[in-house]
Amino acid sequence: MTIAFIDLAAQQARLRPTLDQAIAQVLDQGQYIMGPQVRELEEQLAAFCGAKHCLSCANGTDALQLALMALGIKAGDAVFVPSFTFAATAEVVPFLNATPVFVDCLPDTFNMDPESLKRAIAHAKSIGLKPACIIPVDLFGLPADYDVLIAIARENGMKVIGDSAQGFGGVYKGRVTGTIGDITTTSFFPAKPLGCYGDGGALFTEDDELAALIDSFRVHGKGSHKYYNERIGMNSRLDTLQAAILMEKLAVYADEIEKRQAVASRYTAGLSNRFETPYIPDGLKSIWAQYTLKTASTAERDAFQQRAKEAGVPTVVYYPVPLHRQNAYKDFPSDPAGLSVSDDLASRVISLPMHPYLEQATQETIIAAVAG
Ligand SMILES: *Cc1c(COP(=O)(O)O)cnc(C)c1O
């Protein structure tokens, strides 16, 4: 038996007949760019989370860039990002000549630490940067602590972009990600909880003006006519085929989130006496993009990975090097008190196979193998 880290084939087996129909329909219509399925998907995504506007785009990284462009982020601006995240969160900031400033995360939720954010803001000001925006990440599927982070952002006149590439559909105190902050972004990379069969992304906002700007920026800065250019934009559209595929996947997404929760609960029941299992604060719901444990040390993690490997259980370390230690990012500013939690997590976290179709028997094998 081979155990998949993320089993896209099991999902495909469930959806194959409707996916085939949806794909055939796009081929029959022949509108490969901005076909009617794109708008239809955007409406369904907006309805799913309760957002006023959804605008699809080419991928989750572009979604972040489009969000910063719509907010007018520019040279001299500080954009506060976590260090313990995927590189895309920070990568888009220097593209707009703004400066990413790295913030530590909390040891329990792995999400942006408000106290570290405050220190990073003071530091950014002291070196002549203008605090402009924060990008909390819903890491591994768990929403960041938005009430606290947004309050700090507003006190400092800053905008808020939620990077929900891993968290779309997560719940924060009764609200679904996509409706929190000024703009939320997500990714439909195949391995994300809601993934397509290629690259894809989307932005969500309640703000009509921001939505109009994003719509313009994603198609070469178009004006009222596609050959009137009002601003410098980019080419970042979601393919009609991917939109058609995503609608079929969205139809089962709520069910899949429940199944992920059941998988996570079984892991926690089987492993919490042995490792530090994920902590979910009251009022929050993770969509379990990853199930990530803390081992006691790097040595224990190495042994854990070895045991898993011998039993045929795939594991992955997300993320082995926090961004403030990466060659590409180490010269940007960060919380002057240091990012000790990000460093510590990078040294000892490990993620287990996680997808909605993980069978209970397979999970028992995984639990027995990694518990050692
Ligand atoms: C995957 C991911 C992105 C980027 O999404 P792409 O669609 O791969 O460009 C951005 N932020 C986070 C936190 C991610 O996990």
Side-chain angles (χ1 to χ4, degrees):
M1 175 179 66
T2 50
I3 297 172
F5 190 72
I6 293 175
D7 191 350
L8 293 175
Q11 185 202 47
Q12 193 186 116
R14 173 181 181 182
L15 297 177
R16 187 62 189 254
T18 56
L19 284 168
D20 282 342
Q21 274 175 20
I23 291 166
Q25 201 191 358
V26 176
L27 298 190
D28 290 344
Q29 286 169 342
Q31 288 175 267
Y32 307 116
I33 297 287
M34 291 292 181
Q37 285 85 349
V38 175
R39 192 65 219 131
E40 231 180 297
L41 171 71
E42 289 173 342
E43 278 162 18
Q44 291 183 13
L45 287 167
F48 186 89
C49 63
K52 187 166 181 197
H53 300 282
C54 170
L55 297 114
S56 59
C57 66
N59 57 69
T61 308
D62 278 7
L64 286 162
Q65 185 173 335
L66 285 163
L68 291 172
M69 289 165 82
L71 293 172
I73 301 302
K74 57 186 185 306
D77 286 347
V79 178
F80 298 88
V81 296
S83 176
F84 192 60
T85 178
F86 181 61
T89 312
E91 183 178 29
V92 290
V93 179
F95 259 93
L96 298 174
N97 299 313
T99 305
V101 181
F102 292 108
V103 177
D104 210 0
C105 58
L106 295 164
D108 51 5
T109 62
F110 306 170
N111 281 329
M112 191 182 268
D113 174 357
E115 293 307 316
S116 175
L117 173 61
K118 288 183 196 164
R119 289 190 296 268
I121 293 169
H123 178 60
K125 285 183 184 162
S126 77
I127 57 172
L129 296 170
K130 177 178 176 281
C133 185
I134 66 170
I135 311 183
V137 174
D138 301 330
L139 201 72
F140 303 150
L142 179 68
D145 194 355
Y146 284 103
D147 282 349
V148 177
L149 296 170
I150 290 174
I152 297 169
R154 298 305 186 223
E155 278 164 27
N156 290 276
M158 290 196 284
K159 302 292 185 185
V160 178
I161 300 170
D163 178 352
S164 208
Q166 303 179 9
F168 179 65
V171 178
Y172 180 80
K173 301 183 184 174
R175 281 176 296 163
V176 180
T177 59
T179 61
I180 311 167
D182 296 292
I183 299 174
T184 300
T185 64
T186 196
S187 163
F188 305 125
F189 181 81
K192 307 283 177 175
L194 181 61
C196 57
Y197 290 145
D199 276 311
L203 302 93
F204 300 86
T205 184
E206 301 304 299
D207 186 307
D208 298 346
E209 268 174 53
L210 286 176
L213 279 171
I214 294 162
D215 188 37
S216 169
F217 277 124
R218 72 176 165 170
V219 190
H220 307 290
K222 69 170 180 187
S224 56
H225 179 281
K226 75 171 173 174
Y227 298 125
Y228 298 168
N229 303 100
E230 298 292 337
R231 50 189 68 82
I232 306 294
M234 52 200 282
N235 172 16
S236 187
R237 294 170 298 221
L238 183 70
D239 293 345
T240 310
L241 270 172
Q242 301 302 345
I245 289 161
L246 278 166
M247 277 194 280
E248 299 310 322
K249 294 203 182 199
L250 185 61
V252 298
Y253 190 48
D255 174 61
E256 288 187 340
I257 291 174
E258 272 180 43
K259 289 184 159 65
R260 285 175 180 276
Q261 178 58 55
V263 170
S265 300
R266 289 201 294 263
Y267 273 143
T268 297
L271 292 168
S272 61
N273 62 344
R274 194 64 182 75
F275 304 101
E276 277 181 73
T277 48
Y279 165 72
I280 308 298
D282 283 345
L284 273 62
K285 276 190 194 157
S286 175
I287 59 158
W288 300 105
Q290 302 297 341
Y291 187 91
T292 304
L293 296 168
K294 278 193 262 182
T295 60
S297 63
T298 307
E300 197 192 79
R301 180 171 71 186
D302 290 345
F304 182 112
Q305 268 201 300
Q306 193 53 34
R307 280 198 303 278
K309 198 174 166 200
E310 279 160 17
V313 175
T315 58
V316 182
V317 175
Y318 295 114
Y319 295 95
V321 182
L323 295 184
H324 73 286
R325 302 241 177 241
Q326 301 274 5
N327 284 335
Y329 297 99
K330 62 181 171 19
D331 296 331
F332 289 114
S334 58
D335 171 358
L339 282 67
S340 60
V341 177
S342 298
D343 285 329
D344 177 50
L345 292 178
S347 76
R348 59 194 182 96
V349 291
I350 189 154
S351 301
L352 294 178
M354 167 52 81
H355 60 85
Y357 305 98
L358 195 53
E359 303 278 354
Q360 187 160 355
T362 312
Q363 247 193 302
E364 279 159 18
T365 307
I366 296 169
I367 291 167
V370 302

